[in-house]
Amino acid sequence: MKRASCLSNLPPYPFARWEGQVNAARRRGFDVIRLDIGNPDLPPPDDVVETLCHSAHQPDRHGYPDYRGIPELRQAVADYYDRRFGVTLDADTQVVPLIGSKEGIVNLALACLDPGDLALVPDPGYAPYTMGTILAGGDVHTFPLLAENGFLPDLDAIPVDVADRAVLMWLNYPNNPTGATADLDFFARAVGFAGRHNILLCHDAPYCDVTYGGYVAPSLLQVPGATDVAVEFNSLSKTANMAGWRVGMAVGNADALAALAQVKSNVDSGIFRPLQEAAVRALAADAEWLAARNAIYGERMEIVVEALGAAGMETTCPRATLYVWAQVPMQWLSEPFAQALLKDTGVAIAPGPFFGPAGDGYVRLSVTAPTERVREAMERLRQFVAEQ
Ligand SMILES: Cc1ncc(COP(=O)(O)O)c(C=O)c1O
């Protein structure tokens, strides 16, 4: 069988190879604790599940859904942006429901990039920014996220000719994998940069409601004029513990969203209607539910950060996301450290280079395992490091 040549440019997905090692540890009899992937272990709010069940029992909810999403869902997204960020969106032209934000991220690349077009991508970063670009035949120019800059890009360090050539730029705050956050001043500079270089700025914000210690993450669309140059991706996967349901959204610049919707109408046929109705409910989730859920993650974060500190692994307690980004102990490289930890203790964490070369020297730990399991994993890690 012939394969499209762009597939040979796709780097192998590191977590696929890693999965083999996790399974090997299981076969060796380890009770494996997975802190390597960010897959929420807690359920969505009850009323969201009930809405899905109720709707699925209706005989008229099983046909092809609307391509652009039911108007109630688009309006619920607009209401959420208004309530949460004070951002006004036109529910008809500035909101596109997605089958999870990953789908939209890749399809936006297909909608905007011609072969040879350039996308600016953070390193370390979420792999689909790169993969979507490659699938579209585009070129990737990475910019580093460095600890000394608070894991924000140094926009002035991007060469002018590169910026002028770029069609898309990806940003993601609160950030996976570093846990870093960005404020509105940085977003304003990014919007200015995108405007000056005629770049579509794509901000990916699935962790904006997974926050701790009173931190409130801003939307990039709060910057005046942002919708002239930017789209924002968001998702119910982490906000409402709905990762397996596959509901996300793209909002902002109407032209970019029309192009995205054009690709989608040719590729998929929308979101199952009962899921859309449940998503409407999830978008109205009460603040108490969110605070209680975040308190659980927050407690786990503290356990992880304290244990890493005791093991001499430098890190800071993140204000958002599901991830702790920690430096590996002195004598180790990232992947050998994660491999040895998995092999000797059954604790799976993600090597930093899985997210790009600038992740070298780091590992990522997620807090999506039950609290007692997180505690147990940290005890195993402490012992492992002490024995080296
Ligand atoms: C930065 C980032 N963007 C997008 C996604 C994908 O989210 P979704 O489940 O909505 O496709 C993830 C999932 O881990 C992520 O970390």
Side-chain angles (χ1 to χ4, degrees), residues 61-349:
R61 300 291 206 277
H62 299 272
Y64 289 116
D66 297 0
Y67 285 109
R68 286 295 297 253
I70 55 174
E72 296 85 336
L73 176 55
R74 280 185 275 114
Q75 191 56 52
V77 172
D79 292 347
Y80 164 79
Y81 262 79
D82 183 24
R83 206 176 53 244
R84 172 68 176 79
F85 302 113
V87 168
T88 305
L89 296 172
D90 180 325
D92 287 331
T93 60
Q94 293 187 298
V95 177
V96 173
L98 302 170
I99 306 172
S101 54
K102 183 179 186 180
E103 171 262 290
I105 288 165
V106 172
N107 278 328
L108 185 79
L110 298 178
C112 296
L113 298 176
D114 282 318
D117 279 349
L118 191 72
L120 299 174
V121 170
D123 171 18
Y126 181 57
Y129 312 141
T130 294
M131 305 303 179
T133 306
I134 293 173
L135 285 172
D139 294 336
V140 173
H141 178 94
T142 56
F143 53 85
L145 304 183
L146 304 174
E148 59 259 38
N149 298 330
F151 299 109
L152 295 173
D154 178 357
L155 298 173
D156 297 332
I158 299 173
V160 175
D161 59 322
V162 170
D164 283 340
R165 218 192 111 199
V167 173
L168 297 182
M169 176 177 197
W170 289 98
L171 292 176
N172 159 227
Y173 293 96
N175 183 259
N176 174 15
T178 66
T181 53
D183 61 16
L184 272 179
D185 278 353
F186 169 74
F187 284 156
R189 280 188 286 122
V191 166
F193 177 85
R196 279 195 304 283
H197 296 287
N198 195 22
I199 293 171
L200 177 66
L201 185 58
C202 306
H203 182 235
D204 186 21
Y207 300 98
C208 67
D209 284 326
V210 185
T211 57
Y212 312 107
Y215 173 68
V216 180
S219 161
L220 183 129
L221 299 188
Q222 284 171 250
V223 176
T227 51
D228 294 343
V229 296
V231 289
E232 186 159 88
F233 289 84
N234 215 314
S235 170
L236 294 177
S237 293
K238 319 287 162 131
T239 297
N241 301 339
M242 290 166 63
W245 296 44
R246 315 308 302 134
V247 184
M249 64 216 78
V251 298
N253 184 272
D255 288 340
L257 295 179
L260 171 61
Q262 190 181 350
V263 171
K264 280 176 60 59
S265 66
N266 286 287
V267 172
D268 68 64
S269 298
I271 306 169
F272 181 42
R273 174 149 185 152
L275 286 175
Q276 296 196 53
E277 291 176 19
V280 170
R281 199 68 182 232
L283 282 160
D286 70 275
E288 266 177 44
W289 181 90
L290 204 58
R293 194 281 312 273
N294 286 348
I296 296 173
Y297 285 148
E299 186 193 354
R300 297 174 185 174
M301 281 284 178
E302 282 174 17
I303 294 168
V304 170
V305 169
E306 202 186 304
L308 293 175
M313 294 171 66
E314 205 178 305
T315 185
T316 46
C317 198
R319 298 194 291 175
T321 77
L322 301 170
Y323 310 112
V324 178
W325 188 239
Q327 289 188 17
V328 285
M330 277 301 283
Q331 72 276 24
W332 288 97
L333 296 171
S334 302
E335 194 160 344
F337 177 74
Q339 267 169 352
L341 182 70
L342 176 61
K343 203 161 149 281
D344 290 8
T345 73
V347 173
I349 63 176

